[in-house]
Structure formats: structure tokens, C-alpha cells
Amino acid sequence: MLSLKEKYKDYFQVGAAVNSDTVVKEGHIIKEHFDTITCENTMKFGEIYKENGAYDFADPDIVYNFAKDNNLKMRGHNFVWHNQTPRHIFDKSADEVRDILKNHILTMHDRYGECITCWDVLNECIEDKTDGYLRKSIWLDKFGEDYPKQVFAIARENLPKDVQLFYNDYNEYVPEKRDKIVRLIKSINDEDKLVDGVGLQCHVNLYYPTLDLVKEAIELYASLGLRIHVTEMDLSHFRFEDQTVLEKPDEKLVEKHAKLYGEYFALFREYKDYIDNVTLWGVSDRYTWLDYFPVRNRKNWPLLFDEEGNKKQAFYEVMDF
Ligand code: GLA
């Protein structure tokens, strides 16, 4: 049987989010099935930039070396976010913070650029609530309303042209939020094209969103002339507000999960001219952030490989075309 990446080679690259543990324990699955990897957490600014201005590269080095040794490309994730940011730099002036960000971008490129083909420059800066545009964040407080454009300009000036720059967000298919994302990207790209692509995180569940909403969103983003990456896909068994704990999904749920995964990938294939990469937010159900969010220590089964690393029904559905 073909691997996932072989099956999809004429459509888009397939990727997985990894960490220094999964590249060891699930390295064989990653090597066989995925073209690209993303550091789940360890390349985030706040994770590696210490109070004294020194870096701790131990964890991202492990992932990067794995990528390099196995000829995998990486999505860089991420430079500017309201979370996992080194809060201590914000005591300084806006100009100093801009300089630190610029040096951070140069440092990351210098160390990891050989494998990284794109960066999520800005993550999740849009407000979820209907009344409100930009989310409150220390970056907004420090740089002002046009901070999205400022940070893209810094990234563009300091990275080679062939490194693609992405805006990445969740609930990207919810019409009100989607339209704000469109407004944001248009405002950043009003003079020069600074944003090359939009990252659709695609943290979805069995009940929401509808595929029609996802399709509408893909069409709208594509109409702006943007490349599209699905950056963090997982398919949870639970509605977001549902606190239920399940011992194991029954056969019906397993089937529903598999069928819906198949439908998502069929939709992505339909838009292969715009979509360059579909990344899953994890490798196997052995470890997923959804076991800790939004309910702590509740097992979830959102990926294509089970807890033992075996192919799930969802895997076969995704491969069935
Ligand atoms: C967001 C971020 C990711 C990650 C997930 C949770 O989607 O973009 O980096 O933190 O939340 O794992």
C-alpha cells in the first residue's frame, strides 16, 4: 500500500506537528507518511528565548536534525503570537522590541533555514467575538493597530524571497471571523504583497463546522491570490463545549470519524490548485493536545494513526480515491 505522502504527491504535501518525543517514538511513521513537519511548540519565540536574551535551542535542534537527516521540509511556527511569547522583552521600547524580533527572525533563519520553507509570521491576531477586530495582545499594545503589517514587513525584509510568509488562525471558516481575516490580509497586502498565504488551522470536530463553510472559506481566501496551507488539522470526537468523557469511541463513531476525514481530504483535493500543504496536528492518537484541551485528561482520537501507531479507518478513508 502507498504511503500517505505517495498517495498525495500530485495534490499537496502532507505534514504533521511533532515534538522532540514524537520524532523519536514515532519517527518511523513520520518518515514513511509525511513530507513536512511543524514544531508543535518548540520553535515558538517564548519557548526558546530566555530572560537574559540567550537561546535554548535544545528541543528545536532535535526536531530540525530529524528533518535534515530524513530530507523533510519544515513549516516554521511561529514568530508573533499573543501566547508563548517572551513577555520580558515588553518592558523595552517599541523600537527595541522590533529589533529583538528582527534578530529573532534572523537567528531562526540562520539556524534552521535549510529546512524551513515558510513561516507562520503572525498567529491568531483576530478577535473571536463578533464585535471587535484585533484581539487584545501585548504586541498590539506595544506596536499599535498596524502591528500585523509591521511584523510582516520585518519578516519580509529579513528573510529570502523564497521563504513564504503565512497568516495562521483558527475558526477560519466562521463567516464573521473569516471576513475579518480577509480584511486583515487585504490591509497588510495593500501596497506590497507581504502575506503569501493563509494557514487554516482546521481544528474541527465531528459536528462542526459544515464542509460547506470550509469550502466557502477556501474559495474566499483563494480569491485573494493567496496560497493555502491547512496547518493544524485534527478531528475531535467532541463538540467544543461538550465535557463528556468516553472510554472509547464505539463503532458508529469510528465510522463517522473516518467518513468525515475522507470528506475533508476530498474537499482539499478539489482545491489542490490552491492548497499546497495539509498538516495534521500530531502524528498518532498516542499523544494529542486534545487530551488536555478543552477538558484536561480526557482521551480524544483526532488523528489518522491509533495509540499503537496503526492505521485507523480514517487513514483508509483518506487514501480511498
Ligand atoms: C494553536 C497554535 C498552536 C498550538 C495549538 C494547540 O492552534 O497555533 O501552535 O499551540 O493552538 O496545540
Side-chain angles (χ1 to χ4, degrees), residues 40-41 44 77 81 84 123-124 201 203 232 281 289:
E40 183 188 18
N41 284 305
K44 290 170 182 165
H77 178 74
W81 191 23
Q84 290 173 287
N123 203 29
E124 304 179 348
Q201 291 189 5
H203 292 294
E232 307 187 13
W281 206 238
W289 75 297

Side-chain angles (χ1 to χ4, degrees), residues 38-41 44 77-78 81 83-84 120 123-124 168-170 201 203 231-232 234 281 287-290 293:
T38 306
C39 276
E40 183 188 18
N41 284 305
K44 290 170 182 165
H77 178 74
N78 54 51
W81 191 23
N83 276 329
Q84 290 173 287
D120 292 327
N123 203 29
E124 304 179 348
N168 189 46
D169 214 329
Y170 66 91
Q201 291 189 5
H203 292 294
T231 51
E232 307 187 13
D234 40 27
W281 206 238
Y287 165 72
T288 158
W289 75 297
L290 288 173
F293 181 86

